[in-house]
Amino acid sequence: MLFFTALSPVLCIQPWHPAPPGSERAPCPGLNTLANHGYINRNGKNITQAQISAAFKQVYGIKDDAVNFLLGLLAPGTPGQNQWGNVDLASLAAHNFIEHDASYTHDDYYFHHDALSINYTKVVDLMNHSSDGITVSLDDLVQFKVELLEYSQRNNPEFSLPETPIPLKSLAQYFEMAAPFTVFTGNVSNPLSKQQIASFFGLNRLPSDYKLPSEPVSSLEYLLAQTAIAREKTEALFKY
């Protein structure tokens, strides 16, 4: 008995299934991945604040202060004000809420009036931006992002980016760049593997090499510091 008591619990990832017929998904691969693994309702509907909060902590290792910040930005109603009831994932697809132009997984809303379908050509293009042919660094991702911004600026007459509130602009354009590195490799200095990108962005699935954190480790201060690095690198090459 003492032997078994001393063992640490094994944190197993819940099974992945693609979105079932009639389900809803968001423009955010992080939320869609949680639904596909069953950490929030697999049909993407009637999701509570408590579900998302618990999933962010359990799956992505995000601490309470960062979770509360993100929930405030995702809340239905006025962006930035935590007016939570239950939410359907597709309701988060309003243009320039968390969905935005120059996404590296979706086309601009202007082109197809579709903010939810994954453009798999973009996912492959992202992987092809690997400078070493094996991994994708933050610099690789920034280069790809700048190309997308320039393309949208040239070809989308309604090109725009979220302007208010300012934290949402940072979240939509920069946090999403830093977050995969923070979650899957620890920080933006460590590159992502092509397998991680194909799994997370292409399938909305946790990578096969991912281990659930034993406890939340990423504070709001840490996530915003990582986000600031992505912002600085991007805005050095592209000015809105």
Side-chain angles (χ1 to χ4, degrees):
M1 177 63 70
L2 290 176
F3 173 77
F4 290 104
T5 304
L7 288 177
S8 299
V10 177
L11 302 176
C12 297
I13 293 176
Q14 294 180 183
W16 175 87
H17 299 289
S23 63
E24 294 187 3
R25 291 296 182 262
C28 172
L31 290 172
N32 295 343
T33 297
L34 293 176
N36 288 345
H37 281 278
Y39 291 99
I40 58 178
N41 296 339
R42 287 187 183 271
N43 65 6
K45 300 177 183 179
N46 201 35
I47 297 169
T48 67
Q49 177 178 358
Q51 279 185 311
I52 294 182
S53 177
F56 278 170
K57 287 184 280 189
Q58 179 184 359
V59 179
Y60 298 137
I62 300 175
K63 289 186 174 181
D64 283 331
D65 59 347
V67 168
N68 291 336
F69 175 78
L70 295 175
L71 287 173
L73 294 173
L74 293 172
T78 304
Q81 297 181 12
N82 200 335
Q83 302 171 348
W84 267 92
N86 293 2
V87 66
D88 297 340
L89 290 183
S91 70
L92 300 175
H95 185 51
N96 273 351
F97 181 45
I98 64 169
E99 181 278 333
H100 55 81
D101 292 333
S103 162
Y104 40 82
T105 56
H106 307 279
D107 291 331
D108 289 5
Y109 183 79
Y110 168 80
F111 296 125
H112 308 294
H113 286 190
D114 178 4
L116 296 174
S117 297
I118 297 173
N119 181 334
Y120 295 100
T121 299
K122 279 191 168 184
V123 178
V124 172
D125 198 11
L126 170 56
M127 292 189 288
N128 288 339
H129 274 69
S130 167
S131 56
D132 65 6
I134 302 172
T135 62
V136 174
S137 67
L138 178 61
D139 288 337
D140 296 332
L141 179 58
V142 167
Q143 183 60 47
F144 181 54
K145 181 68 173 182
V146 169
E147 291 173 12
L148 293 173
L149 288 164
E150 291 174 342
Y151 178 87
S152 292
Q153 195 172 50
R154 289 194 309 268
N155 296 285
N156 177 356
E158 298 179 2
F159 171 69
S160 63
L161 296 172
E163 292 296 336
T164 55
I166 293 300
L168 179 59
K169 178 179 178 182
S170 296
L171 174 73
Q173 292 299 314
Y174 305 111
F175 178 83
E176 68 179 21
M177 298 174 70
F181 293 94
T182 304
V183 171
F184 299 128
T185 70
N187 62 69
V188 295
S189 299
N190 300 322
L192 294 163
S193 69
K194 287 187 175 183
Q195 186 274 333
Q196 289 171 326
I197 289 175
S199 181
F200 186 65
F201 292 113
L203 297 175
N204 295 163
R205 181 175 188 168
L206 292 170
S208 59
D209 60 354
Y210 185 59
K211 308 296 183 185
L212 293 179
S214 59
E215 61 182 5
V217 294
S218 297
S219 67
L220 178 59
E221 179 181 11
Y222 181 72
L223 292 177
L224 292 181
Q226 298 293 293
T227 298
I229 296 171
R231 176 175 187 165
E232 180 180 358
K233 286 177 174 289
T234 304
E235 293 190 348
L237 300 176
F238 181 88
K239 300 296 183 183
Y240 297 139

